[in-house]
Amino acid sequence: MSSAVDDFDRWIRNDFVALNTRLEEAYFAAGTQILHDRPELETAKGRIAGEGAELIARITRSDSTPSPLPTDDDERYELLGSVGLYLGACRRHEIDGPQAAAWPLAQLLASSLGVAPRFVFAHQALYNRAVGDTFRTFTALADERAFILYNGLSVLAYQRTAAALRRVPTLGVSSPLTAYLLREARSGLDDVLDLGRTLSKTLDVDRFFLNIRPYFKPHHVGGVEYRGVNAGDFAAINSIDVLLGLCSPYDPFYQGLLTEKYPYMPPEDQALLRTTVTAEPLLDAFLRETSGGPLTPQLRDNAELFLTVCRLHGAATAFHHHRLVVPFLQAPAARAPQDQEPEASDLTTSGPPLLVVMDTLARLVDLRTARRRPGTDGGARRSLDRLRHALDADPNSK
């Protein structure tokens, strides 16, 4: 990378982190979302805005020879993440003006990659090169590091699960090799649950709500507002949904979710999502093979493993919703004093009001757990019950 890009990277990893940390400690001590009219804090905000804008201007100067912009896709995506961190900090501290200098670079990088022109969770988790054991963050707060670390590990576990499931269709659901892949998927989802439990015990609710979540707000790039960061902006979890047969890409609700998140995923994840939605659900394949008569021992074992994987996927989603989203977002928002309560647009990273977001997430939990409740069709519940019945009714049932 060029010296201008390197200089910006060093600033993001050092002075930028120190300035944000100073501001966040002051906000937390005051128990508020943000503070204005304190000269020392306004100076810190001004340094973030001005120093970042100047360093970005050095990258975009048209007279630079050779061009300072990276030609490698991964390096451009990494640079977009750093520019996005700067823009996210300006939005968090309600800085207006200087950040507009970064918009053209963000838009240029994003258009060359086919993604949204802001930082996304991929830039914090899996596309975040560590230097001296430290990856890029907004602050030096231990809670921010824990949030990124455990969510990033969960993404890796989901990706391991999805990669195993993608191999099953070419082998067939009765193959002994499929048993290995289903055990790998089960192991990945076990890790997701364990990591979620660790995060729920490690992360401080007030620190997350006051000092981490605000960086994920929607913000403008140019004249367009882009929604905020979501740790689920990867293809893996949706690949698992569709491959298991718990969610359908033909369902207008689920299709809308996929369409909305598409530009917020890394380019390679976009390609994975495109191929996943055309795959035959494994649930359909198991129903077809188990309906043909007495079951072979291998088919029976594989079907039991498959049902376990489905249960674990639902359990991981339910845990995330009830033990992370509700207590770390919904509960603190409800108890915030009215004079300090954030505006409705600031409560969620997605933009819509909190109640709308929570209803959407609850519906996803229902789909992934195949839960029947009033007003829903239970999703895949009927098909899962058919498979369970086929196993229990088989004369060779253990």
Side-chain angles (χ1 to χ4, degrees):
M1 289 190 287
S2 72
S3 60
V5 173
D6 289 337
D7 289 345
F8 181 56
D9 182 71
R10 278 190 292 272
W11 179 78
I12 284 287
R13 294 176 185 273
N14 294 285
D15 290 355
F16 176 76
V17 171
L19 291 166
N20 282 321
T21 304
R22 185 188 310 171
L23 290 166
E24 294 305 332
E25 294 290 17
Y27 301 157
F28 191 77
T32 188
Q33 294 287 317
I34 195 165
L35 291 169
H36 292 292
D37 302 324
R38 282 180 47 176
E40 74 279 12
L41 300 186
E42 295 306 309
T43 297
K45 294 177 190 178
R47 283 190 60 192
I48 290 172
E51 291 174 14
E54 171 57 28
L55 287 164
I56 289 171
R58 288 180 52 199
I59 298 173
T60 57
R61 282 181 187 143
S62 59
D63 60 352
S64 298
T65 305
S67 172
L69 290 181
T71 56
D72 179 78
D73 284 357
D74 288 342
E75 290 183 359
R76 288 205 308 279
Y77 194 68
E78 183 178 9
L79 177 58
L80 174 61
S82 294
V83 175
L85 291 179
Y86 167 70
L87 291 173
C90 289
R91 171 65 180 93
R92 190 277 179 270
H93 301 303
E94 299 181 358
I95 297 168
D96 290 320
Q99 79 278 8
W103 290 346
L105 178 57
Q107 290 170 320
L108 176 64
L109 293 168
S111 62
S112 74
L113 295 162
V115 298
R118 63 156 296 152
F119 88 95
V120 296
F121 190 70
H123 291 119
Q124 295 184 289
L126 304 189
Y127 299 83
N128 190 348
R129 178 172 45 90
V131 175
D133 298 342
T134 302
F135 47 74
R136 284 187 296 267
T137 56
F138 286 102
T139 72
L141 298 175
D143 287 277
E144 183 187 357
R145 179 179 174 83
F147 180 81
I148 295 171
L149 175 62
Y150 290 112
N151 273 302
L153 289 170
S154 294
V155 171
L156 288 175
Y158 270 128
Q159 289 181 334
R160 179 157 59 97
T161 298
L165 295 176
R166 287 191 195 101
R167 300 294 301 273
V168 173
T170 57
L171 295 171
V173 294
S174 61
S175 169
L177 299 179
T178 291
Y180 174 86
L181 294 172
L182 290 172
R183 285 193 294 269
E184 178 73 359
R186 180 183 64 190
S187 175
L189 292 172
D190 278 334
D191 284 352
V192 172
L193 265 171
D194 287 344
L195 290 162
R197 293 187 186 105
T198 301
L199 180 60
S200 71
K201 296 173 184 176
T202 304
L203 192 61
D204 181 82
V205 172
D206 292 330
R207 275 293 190 184
F208 173 78
F209 193 75
L210 287 174
N211 299 134
I212 300 171
R213 176 196 57 85
Y215 287 98
F216 298 168
K217 294 176 181 179
H219 63 70
H220 284 85
V221 179
V224 179
E225 184 176 70
Y226 293 88
R227 70 119 159 111
V229 170
N230 186 324
D233 284 336
F234 290 88
I237 192 166
N238 303 107
S239 297
I240 296 166
D241 289 341
V242 174
L243 286 166
L244 292 179
L246 298 174
C247 300
S248 170
Y250 299 101
D251 172 9
F253 165 76
Y254 193 74
Q255 192 175 75
L257 295 180
L258 298 183
T259 301
E260 187 276 335
K261 74 184 288 185
Y262 189 81
Y264 297 91
M265 295 190 297
E268 53 267 45
D269 276 51
Q270 294 177 359
L272 285 172
L273 192 63
R274 288 195 298 269
T275 59
T276 295
V277 297
T278 60
E280 180 190 28
L282 300 182
L283 179 54
D284 290 354
F286 273 109
L287 286 172
R288 183 174 61 252
E289 289 219 21
T290 55
S291 66
L295 309 184
T296 64
Q298 188 66 66
L299 178 59
R300 163 174 291 285
D301 290 346
N302 288 0
E304 292 284 3
L305 277 169
F306 169 77
L307 290 173
T308 298
V309 170
C310 289
R311 284 194 297 271
L312 282 171
H313 187 48
T317 296
F319 183 92
H320 180 269
H321 183 74
H322 295 294
R323 297 293 298 277
L324 289 169
V325 176
V326 171
F328 285 88
L329 177 59
Q330 189 176 36
R335 64 174 179 263
Q338 287 193 350
D339 61 338
Q340 297 181 12
E341 187 174 350
E343 296 180 6
S345 61
D346 285 346
L347 279 172
T348 72
T349 62
S350 301
L354 181 59
L355 287 177
V356 174
V357 172
M358 296 302 294
D359 284 347
T360 298
L361 294 176
R363 188 169 175 184
L364 265 178
V365 173
D366 287 345
L367 288 173
R368 289 170 179 157
T369 58
R371 177 190 174 208
R372 288 195 183 98
R373 67 171 177 168
T376 70
D377 61 3
R381 173 49 52 196
R382 186 176 301 173
S383 295
L384 288 169
D385 288 346
R386 281 176 55 203
L387 180 57
R388 179 76 266 168
H389 177 74
L391 296 178
D392 292 342
D394 183 65
N396 297 320
S397 177
K398 298 176 183 177

